[in-house]
Structures are given as C-alpha cells and as structure tokens.
Amino acid sequence: FIESELTRESVPGAAVTVIRNHRIAWTQTFGVANTLTGDPVTEDTPFPAASNGKPIAAWLVVQLAARGAIDLAQPVREQARVNLPDTPDHRRITPSHLLTHTSGLGNFLRDSTRDLGFKPGERFSYAGVGFMVLQQLLEAKTNRTLDAYAREALFDPLAMPHSWYGATPPTIG
C-alpha cells in the first residue's frame, strides 16, 4: 500500500514508523532520499517537517508565556522588535493572534510587505508569516535562535538529537 501511494503521489521516498503502546512496533523505509544520486531512504534520513514545526514553536512560546517571559495578550511590537509595519492594526497584533492564525497576516513567506488581509482578531486565516513573527519574538526574548532554544528547551531533554529547525542539521557531539 505504501509503495503504491508513494508512486501515485510522485513521492520519491519515505520512512514510516508505527507506534503502539508508546513503543515502536514497526518501521520501514521506502524509495530514495536523493533522486539525483539514488541514495536510499534510511532510518537516519532527515525529512523537512514544514508546518509540523508550528505546534512545536507554539509550545515553546506558550512555555515562555507560562514563565512570564512573553505576554500572550500584549501587542508583539510592545514586547520586542519584530518585522511588522508601524500601522494601528499591526500595533494591535498579539502573540495570541499569531498562535491562533487570527492576526490578519498572510501565508506567503516571501510577503515582505506584511500587509493585513483583515483586522487582528476578526477571523481565522492560516498564516505562516505570523509564525515568522512569533519566531522573532521568541528569539528576542531568549537571545537564542529558534533552533538553539528548541534544542535546549525540548529536543535535548527529550533525547531528540536528530530534530532541529533549519535547512541543515546541527553539528551533534
């Protein structure tokens, strides 16, 4: 089934793990990790998590809020220097708006204007740009990159050395 789905969706490779009762019950790799070299997918092949990183970043921000380092209800621009225009509506955007995709910011990561599609809090619209702003807030409050802070606060304590934020893996060891 998995091989046929990969073929149908034109996905060159995948790693699949089934977890039962909090333990790995089965794992299998399929296809290639690099279509140019033909290198196979292995259990150690890194895959980009894309938007799966948003819940992790959200957890980190909420943990900082629980410790009082971030105020979820206070406008972001009042808490740190972030890349948002200086307009009345942009000045109203809170971390809560960013976390709930209600900021009015768009989803196009190359959107350098950061125009709002609606007033903050008015409605829901998936906003990747909002998480870029959350990243800036987190980095300002921790004086660390998102990757460094995530490893310190989450990945290392959970013994997840193969998890990171960024295009290339960190140096481990």
Side-chain angles (χ1 to χ4, degrees):
F1 170 78
I2 294 169
E3 289 169 330
S4 67
E5 287 299 299
L6 292 175
T7 300
R8 187 174 69 80
E9 296 295 329
S10 300
V11 174
V16 178
T17 299
V18 175
I19 298 173
R20 286 196 184 111
N21 298 320
H22 306 284
R23 299 205 186 284
I24 295 174
W26 177 83
T27 189
Q28 180 70 44
T29 60
F30 301 88
V32 297
N34 185 319
T35 57
L36 298 176
T37 65
D39 293 340
V41 172
T42 70
E43 289 183 18
D44 293 322
T45 300
F47 287 92
S51 286
N52 290 317
K54 286 181 177 68
I56 295 167
W59 184 86
L60 293 168
V61 167
V62 170
Q63 293 304 305
L64 288 168
R67 289 191 301 215
I70 291 176
D71 183 335
L72 297 178
Q74 181 184 12
V76 176
R77 288 177 50 97
E78 293 177 14
Q79 298 185 61
R81 293 188 67 200
V82 294
N83 184 11
L84 285 174
D86 187 15
T87 71
D89 285 336
H90 285 91
R91 286 192 297 271
R92 290 184 46 234
I93 296 173
T94 66
S96 182
H97 291 132
L98 299 171
L99 288 164
T100 60
H101 298 276
T102 59
S103 67
L105 292 167
N107 191 42
F108 299 104
L109 302 183
R110 295 179 192 227
D111 177 10
S112 60
T113 64
R114 308 244 166 141
D115 289 338
L116 297 178
F118 52 88
K119 292 186 181 302
E122 195 173 81
R123 63 183 172 89
F124 171 88
S125 182
Y126 191 83
V129 174
F131 272 76
M132 293 170 70
V133 175
L134 272 177
Q135 177 180 349
Q136 292 173 340
L137 176 62
L138 179 146
E139 290 176 347
K141 292 297 187 174
T142 63
N143 292 312
R144 291 175 184 77
T145 64
L146 172 59
D147 176 59
Y149 186 71
R151 282 191 280 134
E152 174 188 309
L154 184 65
F155 300 148
D156 288 349
L158 293 178
M160 298 171 61
H162 301 291
S163 298
W164 69 90
Y165 279 94
T168 57
T171 303
I172 299 172

